[in-house]
């Protein structure tokens, strides 16, 4: 982990803000592009007694707070008009469980993180949710109807919620309104002016709405929703806002090397949880189909991720994929270990109160299969899920896996239902509704 | 913890697998294959569409409606948010600022390759936070200018007088809102703005702050951030002309990626813009000579010919030690200048492929083996050289290569998609592909691809893409000439060799014109034409222009502006 110069050594925590949010659960989804080298990800045995696979090794110190879930299938038997390559459809459905195609303008498209964020909307956090990620090159070959499907994993009412990756901009966003130099009166005055302006444009939008076509109204609704969200944000900037002293602003910008930006952006994610700025985060290591060059791991030898993932059985490329996967997991492990150091009310750590979900848009980059996905969980959402060092093995297939056909395990929708239930949302299905019911093995 | 029963599928034997590029693994194909690659280049328009032949514009019928067996093009443009380029240009023209606040926004979504399609452009909390910040910065900058500054006077045209602030505020706000909203504003809107100013002022902030808040609200208003078009009062499916200001706005964002100027405003005020094609044509002509028309090249051409993608190209430094960013920028500039020349000269669209001229400066000339000195670009003749037209531009060749070697497949697919609007179908799932494997020692890219086409499931699509790309094998992965490779092929049953013969063959493809029209329509109208009806509509626009003896690039641009799709809206 790169030591960052601007971090406070100790984050000062304040008491919980409101009664309605007594169980301070958090959710974070990690997206890694181009699949994972599964033979080095999959533990050899189910249960708790398994040797740590190479890619997961960085998680050893918090082994009893993770769960590996294998044999989860994401692919539908009939995905209509799947965009080329499968990276687009895999990324677009990553958290929505809805197929991605030209004619699918489903207004109900919502991602798991947003569904959870909505239940926490009343908690009065400054940010309803936070989208973070790294801008990387794609190779342009994975045409999707709307580029957002491959660059975004958070969706609300069919609206993509994009991330930015400039560390300074993200810092400013997370700590907006924390102006230590402004008096309370001054801050309140500023907020009132901002709210007056937003009220005014909201009124304009209301009037305009009546004059627009139905499809245009849907777009205007997006605008109005965002205005209301910003008003809420401004209201929450005060005493009910962030609960820690403002750290120093990072010096890095979006031009910093990829590996530095990953470290700093994860640092910002940790701060956003520690300071209770938000309770829901999505984090993309890059867009689907990422062409990020991992040459920094291989003595400068050019290693574009997407091309490398098409290993065609080549041992050298597979060895590289193994290292890339481990590097990604190592970053996630550092983040999780950091959360585990903050103790919250009731004696649970911040990690215990979190559910971290890790996966990719496809399982094996070479075949683009969306069966037997590389699913990793950490934290137990406040003791609501059995994330206790288990390997939940929903398939008995041995390596090499057959390259065609489902693994025989449950659909990912059922995993999502389990997660929703853990967050107190009683739904029994999700996304396109093609599977139902939770994975009872995971429920407490 | 237990494991779960699963139907046991025995692992397939994979011994002795030769490293093939594309192997169908196993015979148990469970997935429906996507549409197969059949037919060949030049086999008529895609989707089995019969081109419509009605004449667009001039009050004629809708070309998208007459084709039998094709669902007519009935789509509507969806409320368009200003994209990042449009926002930056608009505040430049509105406030005279050189700030580019939209650079801080998340990147814009594209549909069919363009960031002007309303359906794709979204607005999230994160956008709005940045837009609020931008409004604050822009208005603060304005108020911070010295009193005599022309930029300041253009907006703050009077002095607030204590006790009668509203008289001046009314003058400032009406003029600013009219320009920002790109249309006349109502008395109700103005009094709403004055009310906001008063409210903020009365809260103990002073009237200056009130005026600033009202100005900020204009920059945050949906009337500013979106290209608002009112729903027409006609039954669903029927068209009605856009209002004059709405049409002027479409036109200025098409040609300038910015707001209308005073002259275009005046033309809209005078009325009749929507139903007098001579007036419209006169405006197009005037606007294209304005410096702001560079936006058409940057934004339309930059996306249509994927020049924006060049920013992401990273050729392998070991293979290409001479490559540098200067070369890349020169390559982009060449294609931009080339297109401007075609447009200004109203050249036939085929010239895109067959032009015997281009533009080079010293850096690019060095790359092409043409002696030109200085950083300025000069028009040079290509007669007698190995280069001709766009297919020998380094920008295209570079953007469609691997870092270390060429990709005939990418180059062929690009031509099919960008120039012929007939993209090859997606790669079938469950195929092993290894696009990056460099050719083995002693093996050419051509041989590698031949092995690949031995696979029946790969052959169909590659037979469409590869011949085009293989005809460009005289150019390496950064567009440098080489004569070490075989650049021959067979297209539509005709043998050819090299880029000249290939370009001549492709230039006869009828889809070249309709595809160009389709790309222009998508960009200009701000909605997708990627459907059978959309193809047919574009075809109809071309036919109409052709019937009037107008076949040049500029003619087609004018035909798009005259088309119903551009000038009208449908009822919903």
């Amino acid at each position: 982990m790169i030591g960052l110069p601007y971090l406070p050594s100790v984050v000062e925590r304040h008491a919980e803000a409101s009664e309605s949010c007594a169980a301070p659960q958090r959710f974070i989804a990690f997206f890694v592009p181009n699949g994972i080298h599964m033979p080095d990800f999959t533990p050899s045995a189910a249960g708790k007694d398994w040797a740590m696979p190479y890619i997961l090794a960085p998680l050893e110190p918090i082994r009893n707070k993770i769960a590996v879930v294998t044999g989860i299938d994401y692919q539908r038997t009939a995905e209509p008009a799947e965009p080329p390559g499968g990276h687009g459809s895999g990324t677009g459905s990553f958290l929505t469980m809805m197929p991605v195609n030209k004619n699918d303008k489903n207004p109900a498209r919502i991602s798991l993180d947003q569904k959870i964020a909505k239940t926490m909307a009343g908690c009065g956090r400054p940010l309803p949710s936070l989208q973070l990620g790294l801008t990387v090159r794609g190779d342009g070959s994975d045409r999707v109807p709307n580029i957002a499907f491959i660059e975004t994993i958070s969706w609300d009412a069919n609206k993509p919620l994009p991330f930015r990756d400039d560390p300074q901009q993200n810092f400013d966003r997370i700590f907006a309104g924390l102006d230590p130099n402004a008096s309370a009166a001054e801050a309140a005055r500023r907020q009132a002016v901002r709210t007056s302006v937003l009220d005014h444009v909201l009124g304009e939008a209301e009037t305009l709405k009546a004059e627009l076509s139905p499809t245009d109204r849907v777009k205007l609704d997006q605008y109005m929703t965002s205005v209301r969200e910003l008003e809420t944000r401004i209201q929450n900037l005060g005493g009910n806002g962030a609960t820690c002293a403002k750290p120093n602003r990072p010096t890095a910008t979006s031009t910093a090397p990829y590996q530095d930006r990953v470290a700093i952006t994860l640092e910002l994610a940790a701060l956003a949880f520690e300071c209770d700025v938000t309770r829901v985060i999505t984090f993309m290591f890059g867009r689907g189909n990422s062409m990020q060059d991992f040459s920094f791991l291989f003595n400068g030898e050019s290693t574009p991720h997407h091309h490398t993932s098409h290993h065609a059985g080549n041992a050298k490329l597979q060895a590289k994929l193994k290292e890339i996967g481990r590097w990604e997991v190592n970053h996630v492990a550092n983040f999780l270990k950091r959360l585990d150091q903050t103790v919250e009310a009731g004696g649970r750590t911040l990690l215990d109160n979190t559910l971290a979900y890790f996966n990719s848009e496809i399982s094996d980059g070479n075949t683009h299969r969306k069966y037997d996905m590389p699913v990793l969980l950490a934290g137990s959402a406040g003791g609501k899920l059995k994330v206790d060092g288990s390997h939940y093995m929903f398939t008995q297939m041995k390596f090499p896996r057959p390259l065609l056909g489902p693994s025989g395990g449950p659909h990912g929708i059922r995993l999502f239902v389990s997660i929703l239930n853990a967050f107190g949302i009683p739904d029994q299905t999700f996304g396109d509704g093609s599977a139902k019911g939770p994975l009872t093995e995971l429920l407490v | 913890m237990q494991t779960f029963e699963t139907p046991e599928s025995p692992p397939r034997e994979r011994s002795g697998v030769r490293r093939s590029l594309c192997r169908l693994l196993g015979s148990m194909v469970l997935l429906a294959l996507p549409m197969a690659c059949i037919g060949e280049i030049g086999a008529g328009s895609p989707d089995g569409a019969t081109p419509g032949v009605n004449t667009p514009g001039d009050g004629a019928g809708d070309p998208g409606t007459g084709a039998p067996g094709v669902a007519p093009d009935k789509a509507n443009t969806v409320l368009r948010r200003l994209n990042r380029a449009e926002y930056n240009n608009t505040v430049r023209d509105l406030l005279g600022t050189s700030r580019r606040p939209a650079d801080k926004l998340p990147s814009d979504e594209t549909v069919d390759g363009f960031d002007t399609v309303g359906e794709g452009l979204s607005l999230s909390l994160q956008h709005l936070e940045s837009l609020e910040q931008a409004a604050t910065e822009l208005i603060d900058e304005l108020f911070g200018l010295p009193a005599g500054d022309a930029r300041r006077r253009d907006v703050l045209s009077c002095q607030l007088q204590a006790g009668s602030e509203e008289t001046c505020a009314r003058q400032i706000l009406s003029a600013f809102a009219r320009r920002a909203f790109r249309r006349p504003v109502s008395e109700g809107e103005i009094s709403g703005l004055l009310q906001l100013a008063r409210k903020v002022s009365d809260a103990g902030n002073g009237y200056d702050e009130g005026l600033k808040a009202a100005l900020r609200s204009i920059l945050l208003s949906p009337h500013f951030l979106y290209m608002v078009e009112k729903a027409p009062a006609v039954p669903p499916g029927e068209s009605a002309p856009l209002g004059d200001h709405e049409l002027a706005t479409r036109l200025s964002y098409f040609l300038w990626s910015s707001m209308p100027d005073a002259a275009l405003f005046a033309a809209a005020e005078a009325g009749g813009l929507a139903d007098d094609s001579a007036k419209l044509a006169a405006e197009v002509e005037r606007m294209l000579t304005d410096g702001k028309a560079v936006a058409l090249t940057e934004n339309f051409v930059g996306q249509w010919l994927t020049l924006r993608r060049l920013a992401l190209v990273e050729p392998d430094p070991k293979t290409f030690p001479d490559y540098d960013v200067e070369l890349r920028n020169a390559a982009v500039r060449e294609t931009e200048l080339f297109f401007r020349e075609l447009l200004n000269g109203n050249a036939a669209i085929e010239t895109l492929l067959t032009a015997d001229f281009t533009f080079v400066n010293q850096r690019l000339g060095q790359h092409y083996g043409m002696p030109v000195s200085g950083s300025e670009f000069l028009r040079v003749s290509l007669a007698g050289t190995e280069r001709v037209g766009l297919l020998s531009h380094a920008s295209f060749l570079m953007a469609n290569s691997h870092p270390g070697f060429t990709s005939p497949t990418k180059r062929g697919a690009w031509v099919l998609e960008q120039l012929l609007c007939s993209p090859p179908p997606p790669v079938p799932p469950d195929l092993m592909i290894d696009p990056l494997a460099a050719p083995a020692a002693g093996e050419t890219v051509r041989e590698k691809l031949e092995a690949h086409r031995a696979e029946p499931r790969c052959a169909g699509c590659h037979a469409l893409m590869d011949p085009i790309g293989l005809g460009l094998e005289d150019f390496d992965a950064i567009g440098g000439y080489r004569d070490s490779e075989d650049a021959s092929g067979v297209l539509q049953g005709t043998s050819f060799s090299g880029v000249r013969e290939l370009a001549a063959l492709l230039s006869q493809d009828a889809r070249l014109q309709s595809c160009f029209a389709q790309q222009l329509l998508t960009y200009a109208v701000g909605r997708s034409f990627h459907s059978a009806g959309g193809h047919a509509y574009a075809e109809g626009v071309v036919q109409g222009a052709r019937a009037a003896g107008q076949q040049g690039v500029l003619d087609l641009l004018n035909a798009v502006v005259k088309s119903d799709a551009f000038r009208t809206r449908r009822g919903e």
Side-chain angles (χ1 to χ4, degrees), chain A residues 46-48 75-79 82-85 102 105 127-129 131 136-141 143-148 151 159-164 169-170 173 189 193-194 196-201 204-205 208 211-217 219-220 222-223 226-230 233-234 291 293 300-302 304 306-308 310-314 317 366-369 371 390-409 441, chain B residues 1-12 14 19-20 24-32 76-79 103-113 118-130 132 181 189 192-193 196 199-200 203-205 209 213-214 216-218 220-223 225-226 228-232 309 311-314 316 318 402-403 410 413 417 423-427 429-436 528 530 569-572:
Chain A
K48 292 191 182 179
Q75 195 154 325
R76 293 157 185 77
T77 40
E79 249 178 351
E82 167 160 336
K102 187 82 198 166
K105 300 187 179 68
L127 276 173
S129 67
Q131 291 74 42
V136 297
R137 296 179 46 197
D139 77 351
S141 71
R143 293 190 313 267
V144 281
N146 176 345
I147 198 78
E151 294 184 333
K159 173 175 78 177
L161 303 174
F163 64 79
R164 283 178 301 187
Q169 283 182 13
N170 281 322
R173 184 159 191 245
R189 196 189 58 78
V193 174
R194 289 173 75 189
S196 298
V197 169
L198 293 174
D199 280 342
H200 176 78
V201 296
E204 283 185 328
L208 173 60
E211 303 172 316
L212 295 179
S213 306
T215 41
D216 284 4
R217 280 182 214 150
K219 279 284 165 193
L220 193 66
Q222 281 190 5
Y223 168 88
S226 299
V227 173
R228 290 193 192 99
E229 284 174 342
L230 186 53
R233 210 188 152 183
I234 292 167
M291 281 273 283
D293 190 345
E301 188 181 317
S302 175
H306 175 247
H307 290 353
T308 307
H310 282 273
H311 53 76
N314 176 313
L317 295 180
N366 194 53
T367 54
H368 289 177
R369 65 199 298 263
Y371 305 120
S390 293
H391 170 210
Y392 295 96
M393 191 162 76
F394 288 98
T395 174
Q396 286 185 319
M397 291 190 297
K398 299 275 187 288
F399 285 102
R401 303 274 209 240
L403 289 166
L404 286 171
S407 73
E441 299 81 3
Chain B
M1 178 74 208
Q2 53 165 68
T3 57
F4 302 87
E5 287 303 313
T6 174
E8 194 62 56
S9 9
R12 300 188 47 78
R14 291 187 47 209
R19 267 200 66 193
S20 115
L24 165 57
L25 289 152
S27 49
M28 37 180 279
V29 182
L30 306 171
L31 294 155
N76 236 354
T77 301
V78 179
L79 188 64
D103 291 355
K104 287 190 175 172
L105 288 172
S107 56
D108 292 315
E109 302 91 347
T110 59
V111 170
D112 294 352
E119 193 191 311
L121 291 160
S122 64
L123 193 145
S124 65
L125 171 62
Q126 197 163 190
H127 287 95
L128 200 67
E129 286 169 6
S130 296
E132 189 199 27
F181 296 171
E189 287 177 305
L193 287 164
L196 171 64
K199 184 181 172 187
V200 171
N205 299 291
E209 282 304 313
R216 281 203 302 271
S217 85
I218 291 172
L220 278 175
S221 167
H223 298 286
L225 296 175
Y226 291 89
V228 171
E229 293 171 359
K230 302 276 165 71
R309 216 187 275 173
L312 308 172
V313 164
E314 288 167 21
D316 176 32
K318 290 195 203 66
H402 296 297
K410 280 188 183 196
E417 180 161 21
V427 179
D430 293 317
L431 286 182
M432 274 173 88
I433 49 173
D434 183 8
L436 195 70
S528 174
H530 194 84
R569 259 195 96 79
R570 286 202 176 80
E572 283 182 22

Side-chain angles (χ1 to χ4, degrees), chain A residues 59-326:
Chain A
L59 294 159
E60 186 63 53
I62 48 167
R63 181 185 179 123
N64 60 351
K65 295 192 178 188
I66 64 163
V68 188
V69 188
T70 56
I72 296 282
D73 289 351
Y74 273 44
Q75 195 154 325
R76 293 157 185 77
T77 40
E79 249 178 351
E82 167 160 336
H87 291 280
S89 61
T91 312
S93 61
F94 181 77
L95 285 179
T96 64
M97 290 292 171
M98 281 191 180
V100 170
N101 60 59
K102 187 82 198 166
N103 306 316
D104 184 18
K105 300 187 179 68
N106 192 335
R109 184 186 300 279
I110 185 168
S111 53
L112 181 67
D113 60 299
Q114 290 307 300
K115 183 96 182 165
I116 293 169
K118 285 199 189 309
T119 67
M120 300 184 170
C123 289
R125 297 302 93 202
L127 276 173
S129 67
L130 177 61
Q131 291 74 42
L132 296 170
L134 286 299
T135 304
V136 297
R137 296 179 46 197
D139 77 351
S141 71
D142 209 69
R143 293 190 313 267
V144 281
N146 176 345
I147 198 78
F149 283 126
I150 204 162
E151 294 184 333
T152 320
I153 52 177
S154 290
W155 290 80
D156 181 17
N158 209 30
K159 173 175 78 177
L161 303 174
F163 64 79
R164 283 178 301 187
D165 84 333
D166 183 300
Q168 293 185 339
Q169 283 182 13
N170 281 322
F171 178 88
D172 292 345
R173 184 159 191 245
I174 292 166
F175 294 103
L178 273 186
D179 184 354
N181 305 322
S183 68
E186 171 66 9
R189 196 189 58 78
R190 269 189 229 167
Q191 284 177 32
V193 174
R194 289 173 75 189
T195 303
S196 298
V197 169
L198 293 174
D199 280 342
H200 176 78
V201 296
L202 205 52
E204 283 185 328
E206 275 299 350
T207 311
L208 173 60
K209 207 168 163 175
E211 303 172 316
L212 295 179
S213 306
T215 41
D216 284 4
R217 280 182 214 150
V218 175
K219 279 284 165 193
L220 193 66
D221 276 334
Q222 281 190 5
Y223 168 88
M224 293 167 81
T225 303
S226 299
V227 173
R228 290 193 192 99
E229 284 174 342
L230 186 53
E231 290 196 325
T232 307
R233 210 188 152 183
I234 292 167
Q235 281 160 23
N236 291 340
L237 283 178
N240 201 14
T243 55
C244 66
K246 192 171 179 174
N248 299 322
R249 197 167 184 253
T251 50
T253 65
S254 54
T255 56
Y258 174 73
Q259 55 274 39
D260 295 359
R261 280 183 294 132
V262 169
I264 293 170
T265 311
L266 278 164
E267 199 85 25
L268 290 170
L271 281 168
F273 273 170
E274 286 163 359
C275 298
D276 213 6
V277 171
T278 189
R279 299 217 166 147
V280 175
I281 300 179
T282 50
F283 189 98
M284 295 180 83
F285 274 80
R287 50 165 271 176
N289 210 40
S290 163
M291 281 273 283
Q292 176 59 43
D293 190 345
F294 279 86
S295 57
F296 58 87
L297 291 179
F298 306 103
N299 300 319
E301 188 181 317
S302 175
T303 308
H305 194 180
H306 175 247
H307 290 353
T308 307
S309 74
H310 282 273
H311 53 76
N314 176 313
K316 186 185 171 187
L317 295 180
Q318 289 181 333
K320 282 184 162 186
L321 289 174
K322 206 166 113 172
E323 293 303 331
I324 292 171
R326 180 158 167 151

Side-chain angles (χ1 to χ4, degrees), chain B residues 68-348:
Chain B
V70 174
D73 170 66
K74 284 288 184 194
N76 236 354
T77 301
V78 179
L79 188 64
R80 283 166 67 181
R81 171 173 64 75
L82 300 188
N83 64 32
R84 298 199 304 180
E86 290 165 344
Y87 182 97
N88 284 336
N89 290 343
T90 304
V91 296
R92 175 199 68 201
D93 296 342
L94 185 64
L95 292 156
T97 184
S98 55
R99 286 169 183 267
R100 301 174 50 86
D103 291 355
K104 287 190 175 172
L105 288 172
S107 56
D108 292 315
E109 302 91 347
T110 59
V111 170
D112 294 352
F114 292 107
D115 61 9
T116 56
V117 179
E119 193 191 311
L121 291 160
S122 64
L123 193 145
S124 65
L125 171 62
Q126 197 163 190
H127 287 95
L128 200 67
E129 286 169 6
S130 296
L131 290 165
E132 189 199 27
Q133 183 71 32
T136 306
E137 284 172 12
L138 290 166
I139 300 303
D140 285 351
E141 180 190 43
L142 178 73
F143 275 72
L145 293 168
D149 189 290
R151 276 175 54 200
R152 183 186 166 110
R153 277 204 319 265
D154 282 346
V155 180
L156 306 177
S157 53
C158 51
Q159 286 280 337
L160 294 177
Q161 302 292 336
S164 62
E165 293 96 344
E166 295 219 343
T167 319
C168 169
R170 168 178 287 273
Q171 181 182 318
I172 290 171
L173 291 169
S174 345
F176 189 69
R178 179 180 162 276
R179 290 177 63 230
F181 296 171
R182 304 170 284 263
R183 57 166 174 80
V185 287
S186 69
E187 176 55 36
E189 287 177 305
I190 295 165
S191 57
L193 287 164
L194 287 168
Q195 241 169 358
L196 171 64
R198 173 61 58 201
K199 184 181 172 187
V200 171
S201 166
D202 288 349
N205 299 291
Y207 205 88
D208 247 24
E209 282 304 313
L211 178 59
K212 279 167 108 174
L215 289 166
R216 281 203 302 271
S217 85
I218 291 172
L219 295 180
L220 278 175
S221 167
H223 298 286
F224 173 71
L225 296 175
Y226 291 89
M227 294 167 60
V228 171
E229 293 171 359
K230 302 276 165 71
V234 292
E238 282 186 32
S239 297
L242 290 167
D244 284 304
H245 287 90
E246 292 171 348
L247 184 61
T249 298
R250 267 198 193 191
L251 187 61
S252 70
Y253 281 94
F254 174 29
L255 302 179
W256 290 345
S257 305
S258 186
M259 61 186 278
D261 64 350
L264 185 56
F265 262 127
E269 301 282 323
L273 203 53
D275 35 42
D276 182 343
S277 43
K279 262 190 192 170
L280 207 50
E283 281 304 314
V284 172
E285 193 176 352
R286 177 184 75 83
M287 291 168 72
L288 284 175
T289 58
D290 190 295
K292 285 189 276 195
V294 72
L296 183 67
T297 315
E298 279 174 10
N299 301 325
F300 168 65
V301 181
Q303 293 179 95
W304 168 46
L305 300 181
T306 63
L307 299 177
R308 289 188 185 179
R309 216 187 275 173
L310 265 283
L312 308 172
V313 164
E314 288 167 21
D316 176 32
K318 290 195 203 66
T319 317
F320 302 106
D322 294 343
Y323 172 85
D324 57 18
V325 173
E326 199 191 342
L327 173 61
R328 184 177 79 196
N329 294 341
V332 170
R333 195 81 195 109
E334 173 192 23
T335 305
E336 288 179 342
L337 289 165
F338 177 69
F339 177 81
R340 291 296 306 182
E341 187 81 355
L342 297 186
L343 182 67
N344 294 340
N346 195 21

Side-chain angles (χ1 to χ4, degrees), chain B residues 228-503:
Chain B
V228 171
E229 293 171 359
K230 302 276 165 71
V234 292
E238 282 186 32
S239 297
L242 290 167
D244 284 304
H245 287 90
E246 292 171 348
L247 184 61
T249 298
R250 267 198 193 191
L251 187 61
S252 70
Y253 281 94
F254 174 29
L255 302 179
W256 290 345
S257 305
S258 186
M259 61 186 278
D261 64 350
L264 185 56
F265 262 127
E269 301 282 323
L273 203 53
D275 35 42
D276 182 343
S277 43
K279 262 190 192 170
L280 207 50
E283 281 304 314
V284 172
E285 193 176 352
R286 177 184 75 83
M287 291 168 72
L288 284 175
T289 58
D290 190 295
K292 285 189 276 195
V294 72
L296 183 67
T297 315
E298 279 174 10
N299 301 325
F300 168 65
V301 181
Q303 293 179 95
W304 168 46
L305 300 181
T306 63
L307 299 177
R308 289 188 185 179
R309 216 187 275 173
L310 265 283
L312 308 172
V313 164
E314 288 167 21
D316 176 32
K318 290 195 203 66
T319 317
F320 302 106
D322 294 343
Y323 172 85
D324 57 18
V325 173
E326 199 191 342
L327 173 61
R328 184 177 79 196
N329 294 341
V332 170
R333 195 81 195 109
E334 173 192 23
T335 305
E336 288 179 342
L337 289 165
F338 177 69
F339 177 81
R340 291 296 306 182
E341 187 81 355
L342 297 186
L343 182 67
N344 294 340
N346 195 21
I349 189 73
E350 299 86 88
T351 318
L352 192 68
L353 298 173
T354 58
D356 243 337
F357 65 89
T358 193
F359 295 82
V360 294
N361 66 354
Q362 185 168 341
R363 179 70 189 89
L364 194 61
Q366 197 184 334
H367 188 54
Y368 288 176
M370 299 171 188
V372 169
S373 59
S375 58
E376 291 299 305
F377 279 77
L378 302 174
R379 183 178 156 142
V380 295
S381 165
L382 293 175
T385 71
E386 56 277 350
R387 289 181 193 268
V388 65
L390 178 74
L391 298 184
S392 59
H393 282 208
S395 64
F396 152 72
L397 295 161
M398 228 184 261
N400 295 288
S401 294
H402 296 297
F405 53 94
T406 59
S407 172
T409 304
K410 280 188 183 196
R411 289 173 179 182
W414 188 94
V415 169
L416 292 176
E417 180 161 21
Q418 306 303 131
L419 302 185
L420 302 179
C421 294
S422 309
V427 179
D430 293 317
L431 286 182
M432 274 173 88
I433 49 173
D434 183 8
L436 195 70
E443 186 191 33
T444 63
V445 169
R446 173 180 292 268
E447 286 162 348
K448 193 179 126 164
L449 279 171
E450 270 163 14
H452 186 67
R453 285 199 302 275
E455 289 289 344
R457 283 185 67 198
C458 305
C461 297
H462 281 271
L464 292 175
M465 302 181 284
D466 297 357
I468 299 174
L470 286 167
L472 301 169
E473 277 294 87
D474 284 337
F475 301 102
D476 66 22
I478 58 169
Y481 179 75
R482 60 188 184 187
D483 58 8
S484 54
E485 303 293 319
D486 169 9
S488 65
V490 179
L491 198 64
Q492 302 158 52
T494 310
S495 302
F496 70 91
S497 178
V499 66
R500 268 181 192 275
E501 292 179 10
L502 171 66

